[in-house]
Amino acid sequence: MLVLTLAGCGEVRQRSDAAADVAVGMLTAVAARDGARACEMLAPGTRSELEDSADQGCEQAILDQGLPAPGQVTGSDVYGQWAQVRLPGDTLFLAVFPEGWRVVAAGCEPRTDRPYDCTVQGD
């Protein structure tokens, strides 16, 4: 039983690390002004919403959102097919898609007794 529990913890840690890698990778791409790479890491609905709300292509719109530079991951939690990754100055939410983790919301700040306020988010 202990072996199964440890194996399950290892899988959760791998999934959490993979989500964190995508979150940091997306912010790193934005900081490097590589909008195309950053957009590859967005969930389809998030990309579509960003393009619609900015009235321009994702590659430029993502660069105009004022997202913070990447930093050290301070926490990463996986909840089934969803993940939350926390960095200094930003919280990102991700979901699993057939091609792997994708960012569904970024530039998110907590609000007391209310949902996070996110700069970039899907519908």
Side-chain angles (χ1 to χ4, degrees), residues 66-90:
L67 294 174
Q72 184 71 29
V73 173
T74 60
S76 180
D77 298 303
V78 173
Y79 308 95
Q81 302 302 306
W82 297 93
Q84 179 189 52
V85 177
R86 294 173 303 285
L87 297 96
D90 198 2

Side-chain angles (χ1 to χ4, degrees), residues 4-5 7 11 18-19 23 31-32 40-41 43 45-46 55 66 68 74 89 101 106 110 114:
L4 291 175
T5 301
E11 180 183 333
E40 289 174 5
M41 296 182 218
T46 303
D55 199 28
T74 60
W101 289 105
R114 297 175 57 198

Side-chain angles (χ1 to χ4, degrees), residues 21-105:
D21 288 347
V22 171
V24 170
M26 199 271 297
L27 292 176
T28 299
V30 170
R33 307 294 296 162
D34 187 350
R37 178 77 179 124
C39 289
E40 289 174 5
M41 296 182 218
L42 293 178
T46 303
R47 181 180 179 134
S48 178
E49 179 66 27
L50 177 62
E51 290 174 334
D52 289 348
S53 65
D55 199 28
Q56 61 182 339
C58 181
E59 292 79 6
Q60 184 57 48
I62 192 72
L63 301 178
D64 295 341
Q65 298 306 304
L67 294 174
Q72 184 71 29
V73 173
T74 60
S76 180
D77 298 303
V78 173
Y79 308 95
Q81 302 302 306
W82 297 93
Q84 179 189 52
V85 177
R86 294 173 303 285
L87 297 96
D90 198 2
T91 299
L92 296 93
F93 294 91
L94 298 91
V96 173
F97 288 83
E99 56 278 355
W101 289 105
R102 294 293 178 257
V103 175
V104 295

